[in-house]
Every structure is written in structure tokens, then in C-alpha cells.
Amino acid sequence: MKIGQDKSVSLSAAVKKYVFSGCHLSIGGFTINRNPMAAVYEIIRQKIDDIHLYAHSNGQGVDELIGAGCVSRLEIAYAGSGRFAPTCIRFKKAVQSGAIAIEDYSNYQMTLRFMAGAMGVPFLPTRSSLGTDIIEKWGFSKQMRANDSRLPNEKLMIMDNPFGSWGNAPKLVLVPAINCDVTILHVQKADREGTVRMEGLTFSDIEQAKCAKHVIVTCEEIVTSDVLKANPDQNQIPSFCVDAVVHIPYGAYPTACYRYYDYDPAYLNAYRKNAENDMRYSTYLEEFIYDVTDHQALLNKIGTEQLNAIAADPRTGYAVGLDRR
Amino acid sequence: MKIGQDKSVSLSAAVKKYVFSGCHLSIGGFTINRNPMAAVYEIIRQKIDDIHLYAHSNGQGVDELIGAGCVSRLEIAYAGSGRFAPTCIRFKKAVQSGAIAIEDYSNYQMTLRFMAGAMGVPFLPTRSSLGTDIIEKWGFSKQMRANDSRLPNEKLMIMDNPFGSWGNAPKLVLVPAINCDVTILHVQKADREGTVRMEGLTFSDIEQAKCAKHVIVTCEEIVTSDVLKANPDQNQIPSFCVDAVVHIPYGAYPTACYRYYDYDPAYLNAYRKNAENDMRYSTYLEEFIYDVTDHQALLNKIGTEQLNAIAADPRTGYAVGLDRR
Amino acid sequence: MHDKRDQVTGNRGQEETLPPVTCNLSPHYTLKELMTIVAAREIKDGDIVFCGTGISMLAAMAAKNINAPNSVIFFETGAIDSLLEEVPLAVADSRVMYWTSVNGNLADAFATMQNRISGPHVVGIMGAAQIDKFGNLNSTVVGDYFRPRVRFSGSGGACDVASFVGRTITFMQHEKRKFVPKLDYITSPGWLDGPDARRKAGLPDGGPESVITNMATMGFDSITREMYLSGYFPGFTPQQIQDNMGFEIDTSRAVEVAPPTEFELKILREKCDPHRLILG
Amino acid sequence: MHDKRDQVTGNRGQEETLPPVTCNLSPHYTLKELMTIVAAREIKDGDIVFCGTGISMLAAMAAKNINAPNSVIFFETGAIDSLLEEVPLAVADSRVMYWTSVNGNLADAFATMQNRISGPHVVGIMGAAQIDKFGNLNSTVVGDYFRPRVRFSGSGGACDVASFVGRTITFMQHEKRKFVPKLDYITSPGWLDGPDARRKAGLPDGGPESVITNMATMGFDSITREMYLSGYFPGFTPQQIQDNMGFEIDTSRAVEVAPPTEFELKILREKCDPHRLILG
């Protein structure tokens, strides 16, 4: 926790400092929007492995981290990239082959788990999933949980409503808080001290930031504090929650960043084809991640023509008429 | 619950329809800001009594409802109007004389209780108030609670953390949800269907709205839906949560409405003096509430000079240099 | 519950295609148009419609323009009442964020569904890989949970929606391997194992109302909570429909589904999807 | 915990006045200036400062300008890092909403204090009607709870702050009736009834650090958690201070409080409250 300081650093320095083998990591964004992709690629380049990963509905970021072998355990509600991969391909292969351990929750449960961490309570209650296998089947066994102090002893618990008939909810599912080592978000604007402004839907990014020991924010633009303070109703995360601010234009690419650029259908379609074949996926990793020095080098490889094609229309915030086949 | 309809009505009609003797009412705002005062005065004029009132830190609205004899029970964290009455005067008299029953919570607990109602769960957990008389002393007895199905059986409960050492919180206080009959808010902008935009701090108004069966929104301006949809990140309450939209300029007067007008120190100081004396308070009620037909008539009585003095400066959102002695 | 089109069509990552079924289809409308309109008819004026992308979103738009003008569409990502000038390819697509009434977040969206006042007014439109006779859904695995033959995306918001809201409508591809006697994994609760099971489990009132496939519509008996055939599409017979399911259902109450009216088709084609981005 | 000035000064609804105590006050500064500066010295660089209005806000501003440039001021209403061009008269005053870093809400503000990461970095500045030797506070009633002789505003956020944060500083009016052996009502937890009591009650680590009055500063013994006299203001004696309290405290560790430096006074007067709106 640092207050009032200039926290702007390079992406490689931020990842080196806060992301480590075996760390508990959560990444923001949803399916194909505002995934912190530049950071994901940097984690892959730094070959950080054995990550315990948390997300609610994350597609591209989760799939690339898994595909590159960075992840050993995953707690998630949904691994999909919309129409481009309704089930993420490398995720699917990894779960089917037993290469990663997975714990399934619902989207709201994951949101509540981040929120519980943000609120500083050990659990939050919900009525979701009563009667389902989300309650019955535990991806992480009781024994695995008992042996790992960084995991709650229970996936979740059912409890009778202690207030009797109050609220007309006889039973509650209690889901345990997530308190992860580091959360990485990609946002539209931040100042050097770490105050964050997201535009459009915020998903669960705010809760994810506030439940983590450390927060890396990558952003499209670094603006002055005065720019943010002129409209403080539109800012969401205070600077004292943030440890590192990284200026990375197109930092969510190939996923979208509302009002800046759209997702790149060409990249995502090519990714899907590559992901379906292990050999081709190795080549993809080499060519698009390991062999490029940083995110700018990836963007150079993609080229301005493609980046221009996904540029957001100022009226709507996305690329009107983009060829999305 | 009504969707997509024009819900704009007169204040007297809205109050007549949704506020009734014995109802469970919550009012938005905080101490001397955005109290729904026009609605409070209309409730007083309609002589609705036996109200069960909920607020977190509400000053002027709570005090006037109590002073006029509308309230029989109050659940609250703080009854004060800032420097103008650090403890609300009529509230103080009513509690000291036993004229109203009161249940004390903390601000966060009241917020969590509204939030639990909004989330549709019977309780939420917190670590606040362990070891204090907020837990030990119940303003509403067990018996009173047992005999009233509209009250939770327990003021609150202490529970051991069912997740053991997870979250490093051995004990939790569970506070019961509020699901009230009606919530009244005063906001800056709304459309006729009920979509709400608040400016500045939102306090717990959003949670208060979402935990209620019915919601009355009074607003400074009714704008078209298109005005609100042009910047949807700044809107907070969807139309389907709202039952009645009432256009009442200066609807928070004599409390403040950020970016529209400031609180009125002259009114609030005069109010305090009147509140300290039962006779003078009767005269106040007659002269400023019963004898005026509606909020506009009150404003006419106050006069444009005073209203101009509290007009918000466009840069800061409050009345710069206002005489606040 | 996002884009579940892979699970509906088995055609992952491609535009939806018409199902591979032969029938005497009227030349005047496509099966997908019929499915959309049949779903739209189930949406009532005043409903809050939770939907994913694709056909479920189109059904919601059709209802709003035809029979339920006072309904509101919302997404689990927190977008309410989006102006969908282009088809979103995921519920987090920036296209759902444009010209909404409120841009919120996941916590808001699910609280709206769990809320005691608003939840019962929500109708959820779902999809899944498998469904059983009580309308329980699987969108997690085929095969054993710990050694799955096929892993799917997982619940997303589907379990939450199915747990909380007043009514759900499920789109399914009409295939034997999808209508199964026993789910490999219960992701989203339907009527669980019968009449009083939801209440016993502690779930709110509400549950599956109907299933719409590329052949038929199914309801759930108000006493037994078992699936029955409520309607068969023109060109299909109840027997054909039963033959493509992995469990027996009551077909005695089935009537032929009314084809789209000229008005319904006109609105769907001209107002909801003029570029046939979803209709194909 | 809003404007507790009535409870600090006993002078409800008026500008704060200097306490009615005779002493050899230096002509170079006022008691209120000294109280403010003493509180400011306790704020560390990097602290998140929770404050109400009045003197607590001024102490936070002074610290930020003197000894803790990297501290941030926030209010329970959700305003963070407000530009206070004019003195707010309540924590919901529109003046706290102007030129902030984030305008949030109550849920955000209290979660920041209960949060395991940020909570321990928060220093809360409080006030109360009564305090006991363990730093527990009463801001609810004097007399019986059910038939109070004097009813106060109630907890507001005070109980939450005292429950959650790393350290609290309490401003008190130095009077016998306010420093009492037993509180009439425990609104906000201090060290409860001794060494391990907070832990036993289930509260987070943290608790009262100091009490600042118009005569002295008090700390809490790190073993017994009992209040002791840590400093006496120039012009007062330990005995005078003890005489104005309702319970005995250890005065053996007391040293004279250093008067404000020229630099501290200059910053306080010229940068923090040039119009003497709080300083009077």
C-alpha cells in the first residue's frame, strides 16, 4: 500500500515485482473485453508458472495463460470468448487432460467472493446453486484444502437462515472470500498515483482490485489527477488500492477496450485455429509472444492497418461495421 | 413494479398512493444533503402517522417527521444535522420522553441492512460492533419482535466464522435485511420512466431504493431518456426499480442538492430554535407546513432572495461564500 | 450464461446454422424465425428479460417490438436496455454498453435477479449442453466431472439465473444426446427432482417454464414438474419429436404451434434484425 | 462519526470556543492550534485518514501539509481526497464532494476500513460524549438506554471505525463527567475491558492510540491497555489534568508537550485555515 506517490513503472518491472511462481492471481475483464492482455503476455514471456488463477467469466486472458503453461489451478465461473470460442480451447484441453485443477462456481458466486475479500469479511451469502453439482462436486478436495493454508477449508457451505423466516430464504450458500496476492486490470484512464477511471461496464474489476494484496493497473492513457478530479463521480478505484500503474496503449488487445478499440476478430479467429492444434499453438507462442520483446512489438507485428480497422467510433465506442466474421 | 411507462405524478398523489399509516418507510440522503424534504413535508401535511422509519445518518428529514408526530419507531445510526444540530432536537426530545421507540445500529450496519434487502439475502456479515452495547442493548425487545412479523426476530446475531481461520475473522455480526414498504429519494435528474442520475456522493440511496417494495423519486429535473442514455455510466438506478417520479425543484430544500443549491443556514438555524421549544415548534408546523399548500408555496414564502443566496456555483456545486453562521 | 450457441447448435465458433432436420417447412419463414417468435410470445409486458447473445437476445428484441413493449432487456454484465445497433458477440461486447439506461456491473445484475421484488419479474433465457425431464441444465462437462470427456465453459451466470428468477425459457438443439435421463453435471437448477424439490433445497419460487427447440415447445406439468410436449412445429409430428429425445414425455397435450403471423415476421425481419445477422 | 463538536465542546450548534480553563497559555498560539498540531503529529506518512468535520479535518489537513505529505483524507460518506476550499459543516456537505479523487458511497467507505489490506493503514479521528480508561466511547446516551437523561446522535460511523481500523485518535473535552469509570453505553469499542479483550470479542487488531484534550495527551499502555498521561500541555500540571478526570491514570510517564513550532503554526494558519473558520 503506497499513497500519493508516482507509481508508474514499466510492465516488465511491475510483473517481475508482483507476479511470482505459485502466486494467487486474479485478472479483470470479461470474455473479450478489457482483459489485461499485455500483462498476460508479459507473464508468459517471463515464464511465471504454477499460478493459482481467479476470474469470473474471463476468456482470452485465461486461455492464453493456461495455454502457455503458466496456470496450475483455476477458480472460475466461465471460460469462453463469446462467439470466437464459446468454450476456450486451451482451457478445454487442459481440463480434459487433467493438466490443471479447476474449481467451478457461478458468476455471481465469484463476484461475491471478490466482494467478500474487498469488504474484509470471510464469506458472503447467496441463494444461488442450491440443489446443484456446484455444491456437490469439489474440484479441490477437502484434503487438498486442509493441506493448503492459502485455500479455504470448504469450497462453500450451506447454512440454515439464522433469522428464521426473515427474508423468506430458508437456506443460504456461503461462499468464501478471495484474498489474492495480486490483481491485474486493464482500464481506460489512470493517474500516476493510481486513481482509476473505467468507462462502460466495470464487470467485477473494482471488487477484484480491492480484494488483492497488490494491484497492477495497465491503462490506455495516463492522465493528470486534475483531469480525473474534474469528474470524480466517474472514477472508481482510489489510488491507495493500487501499487503499479503501467501505460500500455492497446493493453487489452486483442480483446476490446470500450471507447478506444474493438476486439480483433482476425486475431481471435486465428488464435482459435492455432489453439486447436498443439503444434500450431507452440508456433503461435513463439511467434506472437516469446519472440516479441514487448506489447508494442506485438502491435508493430499486427500493423497499423489492422489496428485502424478496430479503432473505436467516437459515437458508439466500438468499431462500427468491423468485419467480425 | 412497472416498466417502460410514464411514472410522473404529483407529489401528493405519490405520497397518497405509497405512504400509509403504519408503513415501513426509508428516506435517502445524509444529514443535511439530499433529504427528500418536499416529500417529508407532504407526509406531514397528509398527517400520516405510526410510521416505522429507517435511515443511516439522516438529519433534517428524520427530525421533521418525528417532530410532526408521524413516526412511532425508528431504526437509525445517527440523527444529526451537522453543525446546525449535532443531535437532532425533536429526535432527542422524542427519545428522551419515550415518544418513539428506537433501535440503534452503526452506519455501516444500516448500509449493509439496506444492501441485504437489495441483494435479496436475509442478512450480511460484518465485524463492526463486537463487544459493544449495539449488540447488548435492544431497543425493540425480543417479545416485540416475536409479535410483529414485519420485524426480524433478532436485532442482530453473532456467529463463529464457519470457515474457521479463513479471512482471519473469528466472529461475525450478522445484520438482518431491511425490506421496507417504500423508499423516498431526492435526486438531481430522472426520466419519466424512473431512471435516476445522482450527482456527487450517492450515500446509500441506491441500496435503499432497491430494498423497497415501492420507490418514490423526487427530482430537480425531469430529462428525456436520451439525455440519460448519452452517459449511462453516470446513471445509477434503473427504471424498473421506481414506481413514481415527481418533478420538484428544490425538493431537498432546506437541505442541499449538490450542483443545484446549498443547504439554507437561515432556515436550519431558525428550525433549531423553533425545535427547542414545543410551543414554537407547533407554530412552526402550522406556518411552514400545514398552512402552505405545497412545496412551491413554501418556496414562495422563503422568497427568491434567499433561494438565490443558496444557488450552487457552477464550478464547485455549492454556494461559494454563503453566510453559514 | 453468455453465448451458448455452441451448446445449442453444436457448431462452435461459427454463425448459427439451421439444424440438420428434414421437415415440411413453410417457404414463408425459417425455423430460426419460428423459434425466435415462439420465445418472444412467452415474454410478457412488464417482464425484465435476462438474455445472452444470439437468438435469446433477438427473442427479447422481438417481444419488445411485438407483444411486450414495456419489457426491458438486460445482461448479466450490468448493461440495461442497450441500443443494439450491431449484434454483440458476447455479453461483454462493447456493443451492449452503448446507449443503455444504466451501465452497472455483475454485482448489480445478479442482485436484481436475487432481489425479492425484481427477481420474480425476471424471465431468463438460457441454453445448455444437456437437459433432463425436470429442466435441470448442464453446461459444465460431459462425462465424469474429474475426467471429463468434454469440458464446456461452465455456469457463467446460468446457475444464478436458474436459481433466482421467476421463469426461465431454455433454447435447446433437439437431439437425443442433449435430452438425457440423467445429467452428467447439474449446473443450473430446474425443478430438481420433482414437485417440492426446489422449496426443499431452499431455492426461491420460480423455475423452468418452457423449452424451445428446433422442432417443438415443451412445458412442465404444474403438479409433477415433468416436461411435456406443449407444441410441435408445423411439419413435425409428436412421434418424431419423442424419437429425438433420451426420455419419454407426455405428448397428449401437444398442439401445433401457430406459425408466425405476417406482422410478427415483418417486425422481426424489418425492425429486429434487418441485416439478418442472427437470423442468417 | 460526523461533527461531534457538541460532544467535544458542550457547545451545540455554535462555533467551537476555547475551553473554560485557566492556564499560562503562550500568547503565540491558541489551545485549539496546539490540539490540532498534536493530532497532526500522530498522522504518519502513508496513512489513510478517516475524519469528520471540524478540528479532526483540520488535523488531517495539517498533517498532509507538514509531516505526512503522502496521506489521504477520506470521509465515511465516500468522498476521497476532497479539495476543501470551504469548511464543510457535515461529512455530507456538498463541499466534501468537490474535486475529489473518487466520489463513492457509504458501502465503499466502510469496506475500505474493514478491508484486510487497507484497514490497518487507516487512522480514525473520533470524538465522543464519554470515554473510559480503556478508550471505549459513548456517543449514544447519558443515563439509562431505555430512559436516557440525554440522548445523543448515536454511533454514525464511529462504532465501525473503532471496530475496523488500525489506530484511532480521540478528541475529548477535558472534563470529569466525560472521563468516566463506566460508560453509560458502549457505542464504539476501544480496548474493551483490557489486554486481550478485542481479540476475544472477535475484533480486528488495532484500537485506540491516543486521546487529545484541551489539556493533555493520553496513550494506552501496551500491556494493560489502560490509559496513561503521555503529555501535558504547556501551562498545565499532571495534577490539574488528573483532577479533571473521573478515574485515576498513571501520570509517571508524562512529559510536557512540545509547543507548536513556527513552521507548524505557519502552515496551519496560512495553508490549512487561512480564514480561521475552524481555528476561530
Side-chain angles (χ1 to χ4, degrees), chain B residues 276-310:
Chain B
E276 278 163 355
N277 177 287
D278 289 355
M279 284 289 286
R280 279 219 309 271
Y281 199 69
S282 292
T283 311
Y284 163 78
L285 286 174
E286 289 297 333
E287 187 181 339
F288 284 85
I289 306 179
Y290 296 125
D291 285 356
V292 297
T293 50
D294 58 18
H295 204 61
Q296 187 53 53
L298 174 64
L299 300 175
N300 294 345
K301 197 172 162 71
I302 301 305
T304 36
E305 192 182 339
Q306 188 58 19
L307 294 182
N308 287 341
I310 62 168

Side-chain angles (χ1 to χ4, degrees), chain C residues 9-133:
Chain C
T9 65
N11 190 359
R12 222 154 285 130
Q14 302 293 325
E15 281 296 305
E16 284 183 54
T17 54
L18 286 180
V21 188
T22 54
C23 67
N24 295 318
L25 197 60
S26 153
H28 298 308
Y29 59 90
T30 68
L31 261 184
K32 192 178 270 180
E33 285 172 339
L34 179 57
M35 289 172 77
T36 308
I37 285 167
V38 166
R41 289 172 184 163
E42 297 219 12
I43 296 168
K44 296 173 193 152
D45 208 28
D47 278 348
I48 305 170
V49 187
F50 168 90
C51 59
T53 54
I55 191 170
S56 72
M57 197 185 65
L58 193 59
M61 291 170 72
K64 199 170 164 68
N65 281 286
I66 296 168
N67 50 300
N70 296 307
S71 59
V72 60
I73 301 174
F74 88 111
F75 297 95
E76 69 190 290
T77 43
I80 297 172
D81 210 13
S82 319
L83 179 62
L84 299 166
E85 291 184 347
E86 293 190 5
V87 177
L89 299 185
V91 293
D93 195 313
S94 298
R95 284 155 188 80
V96 309
M97 305 182 191
Y98 173 62
W99 212 260
T100 63
S101 291
V102 180
N103 273 340
N105 56 37
L106 271 69
D108 295 340
F110 289 112
T112 296
M113 295 190 268
Q114 195 175 223
N115 183 287
R116 289 170 53 177
I117 311 299
S118 48
H121 293 267
V122 177
V123 54
I125 312 186
M126 331 267 297
Q130 293 181 330
I131 188 169
D132 69 15
K133 70 175 175 178

Side-chain angles (χ1 to χ4, degrees), chain C residues 155-176:
Chain C
S155 160
C159 172
D160 305 309
V161 177
S163 295
F164 298 151
V165 309
R167 299 144 54 215
T168 58
I169 299 168
T170 304
F171 278 111
M172 290 296 296
Q173 176 80 354
H174 207 108
E175 294 174 34
K176 207 162 207 158

Side-chain angles (χ1 to χ4, degrees), chain B residues 104 106-107 128 262-263 321, chain D residues 15 76 86 92-93 95 145 160:
Chain B
D104 276 284
S106 71
N107 251 352
S128 178
D262 219 321
Y263 42 80
Chain D
E15 281 296 306
E76 70 191 291
E86 293 190 3
D93 195 312
R95 285 154 188 79
Y145 179 63
D160 306 308

Side-chain angles (χ1 to χ4, degrees), chain B residues 3-16:
Chain B
I3 289 177
Q5 296 168 20
D6 183 339
K7 298 166 188 164
S8 61
V9 288
S10 74
L11 181 57
S12 64
V15 167
K16 195 159 285 169

Side-chain angles (χ1 to χ4, degrees), chain A residues 33 83 106-107 128 262-263, chain C residues 15 76 86 92-93 95 160:
Chain A
N33 213 315
R83 221 270 310 282
S106 72
N107 251 354
S128 179
D262 219 321
Y263 43 81
Chain C
E15 281 296 305
E76 69 190 290
E86 293 190 5
D93 195 313
R95 284 155 188 80
D160 305 309

